[in-house]
Amino acid sequence: MRLLRVQTPLGLFSSVWAVAAALHYLEAEPFTGLPIYPFVILLLLYPERLWAIAAFALAHGGLIWLNLPAAANHAVIGFLVDGGLLIGCVQALRSRDPESRQRRLWESIQGPIRATVAIVYFFAAFHKLNSSFFDPTVSCATSQLAWIFELHGFPRPPHSVLSFNIYLTVALELVIPVLLLWPRFVHVGAILGLVFHTAVAWARFFDFATVIFALYLFFLPWDGIQRELNRLRGWAGACFVVSLGGIVATSFVFHGFRGSPVIFRLSGWTLQADTVICALWTLMVWAVLLPIFLRSNQPPARRGWTGVALAWVIPVLAFVNGATSYLGLKTEANYSMFSNLRTEGGHTNHFLVPAGLFFVSDYQNDLVRVDSVVGYPSGLFPWQAWLEEGDRRVRRNSRWLADIPQARVPFIEVKRTLQYWKHIGFTKASITYVRRGERYQVDDAFSDRELMRPLSFWERKFLAFRTVEDDGQPSHCRW
């Protein structure tokens, strides 16, 4: 593949992994990805070089670190895998033969990455075993499918018509990892996952899908991938590179410079940049990955669960992160995305896990209703304004702001947000909220002793919470 500089399975993974990082920003805010784009280009140019992989992992992981604790779910997965890549690079450097280093890196993290993917799928399905997800009127399975129609210029169908997607989603999220872990049917699982996540990607979640597709490669045998790479025609690589260029151009023009995704309107239909980007993305990944997933299912020559001891920390962290809703520790970025799960305030909608049974802290039970909160960010220094991306980063870091005053939020999340505002240079903030039946009106939140009581590093950097409806109400679809 002349345009796509890939010669080994590691090179293919690196290229797809680099593109996944870029797509996170090209989805809607292309200028915010400027710090990572040089490293994406570097890895696309040198996908098999250990120094390029390590440089990208450090830069990508560092950028995700700045977004914690409210980073996207696929970013959290990316952060863990970046750590694994760094471990693998160190392990590979111990090999005396430079030509064998790529394979040694691969084998040093293959087992841990497989386990991590299986854990993510398990929790993604397990979180959905709740009454609200199976309620078509509020289920994310129906609302997100309806959103795909609206995003691409078509009228939203009724949720009742889309209720089949509730059962289909849970079934696929359970079946895909089983097939991936079954050597005889791994290619079936990869193809099924390719189709399923491509459909989900058209809701503008192609960045998540690309992360998952890159990790699928570790379920396939190295020799099988290598064989199919050697068979790929030059047009597949050209299609990948040209489609990526089209995505970049479309995103920068419409989401960047113009600030509007609308390309043109017709009677009853609107063509948006998102439709073009999704189509180009589908062409890009399918051209290269479909032949690999379809035909690289020869029996592996070596054990598929290889991995250095330190790398096994990654799936352990992934499992703990996935269980945090039931431990009372956090409700965001723990693979509960679009699951309608509710575990807060001594109530739960989950079918299997009783409310608060495994809580190790009281964070989720200390709920407050925020009637209003106002921040004044005029004190941002220029470098902070660039690094924090202004108001959009502030809103993304605390998504609960969009749900007030209709919903409640754990008090620690309110404190974290206000202290974060103060940290990045806000000059003042005011808030009105109700906690434990008592109403508080604070004109200067930065001077309030309770709101400014210091949070630990753990609380500031790793805990983030969603809003929750009143008791007895269904839990609506949230990111």
Side-chain angles (χ1 to χ4, degrees), residues 117-443:
V117 172
I119 288 168
V120 171
Y121 268 113
F122 166 76
F123 278 110
F126 187 75
H127 291 324
K128 292 181 175 66
L129 300 180
N130 65 76
S131 57
S132 294
F133 187 80
F134 283 83
D135 180 354
T137 61
V138 296
S139 176
C140 291
T142 56
S143 62
Q144 289 302 304
L145 187 55
W147 160 243
I148 293 177
F149 284 88
E150 182 179 332
L151 178 65
H152 301 294
F154 299 98
R156 276 179 175 254
H159 283 196
S160 58
V161 176
L162 305 176
S163 59
F164 72 90
N165 197 44
I166 296 172
Y167 306 94
L168 180 63
T169 298
V170 174
L172 288 175
E173 289 182 345
L174 290 172
V175 169
I176 289 172
V178 171
L179 294 174
L180 289 173
L181 294 171
W182 195 339
R184 183 177 179 182
F185 297 103
V186 60
H187 62 293
V188 178
I191 293 294
L192 193 59
L194 182 67
V195 174
F196 171 63
H197 287 290
T198 295
V200 175
W202 278 73
R204 216 168 67 178
F205 298 120
F206 41 78
D207 43 5
F208 182 92
T210 311
V211 166
I212 293 299
F213 294 163
L215 300 182
Y216 278 1
L217 293 171
F218 286 94
F219 289 87
L220 301 170
W222 173 283
D223 294 330
I225 299 174
Q226 186 67 68
R227 181 193 65 206
E228 296 308 319
L229 276 177
N230 295 335
R231 291 181 178 179
L232 279 182
R233 302 287 185 176
W235 65 263
C239 187
F240 187 97
V241 174
V242 171
S243 296
L244 177 59
I247 292 171
V248 172
T250 304
S251 179
F252 270 92
V253 169
F254 292 95
H255 288 304
F257 295 109
R258 285 187 53 180
S260 171
V262 177
I263 298 177
F264 60 79
R265 300 180 186 274
L266 297 174
S267 178
W269 184 67
T270 302
L271 177 62
Q272 301 198 54
D274 301 292
T275 303
V276 175
I277 291 174
C278 287
L280 289 171
W281 173 84
T282 304
L283 184 62
M284 176 181 69
V285 296
W286 277 60
V288 173
L289 295 181
L290 180 60
I292 301 295
F293 291 169
L294 193 62
R295 297 194 297 264
S296 61
N297 59 316
Q298 68 180 41
R302 303 183 183 183
R303 286 188 305 114
W305 287 89
T306 56
V308 297
L310 184 58
W312 286 99
V313 173
I314 296 170
V316 172
L317 293 175
F319 185 89
V320 173
N321 184 63
T324 48
S325 287
Y326 312 106
L327 297 175
L329 294 177
K330 69 171 186 174
T331 56
E332 270 201 23
N334 58 0
Y335 332 129
S336 60
M337 60 283 189
F338 307 115
S339 69
N340 298 96
L341 180 66
R342 185 245 168 105
T343 55
E344 302 91 342
H347 297 267
T348 184
N349 59 6
H350 201 274
F351 293 140
L352 302 177
V353 182
L357 180 62
F358 301 108
F359 276 16
V360 297
S361 73
D362 203 43
Y363 296 131
Q364 292 187 35
N365 290 329
D366 189 5
L367 298 176
V368 301
R369 187 182 302 280
V370 179
D371 292 330
S372 66
V373 59
V374 180
Y376 303 90
S378 58
L380 283 173
F381 294 108
W383 70 271
Q384 287 178 311
W386 172 79
L387 184 63
E388 303 296 342
E389 303 164 22
D391 182 66
R392 286 185 297 186
R393 171 62 66 84
V394 170
R395 291 281 174 180
R396 191 162 58 245
N397 189 273
S398 302
R399 291 178 175 85
W400 62 272
L401 295 168
D403 292 333
I404 62 172
Q406 289 80 15
R408 299 167 296 165
V409 66
F411 186 56
I412 186 178
E413 181 69 11
V414 176
K415 292 175 60 176
R416 185 186 70 83
T417 296
L418 292 172
Q419 293 180 26
Y420 172 73
W421 286 1
K422 183 178 181 180
H423 171 71
I424 65 174
F426 276 44
T427 57
K428 184 180 178 182
S430 60
I431 183 171
T432 302
Y433 65 96
V434 178
R435 183 188 185 201
R436 297 171 182 168
E438 187 172 348
R439 183 179 181 83
Y440 298 85
Q441 183 171 341
V442 184
D443 294 328

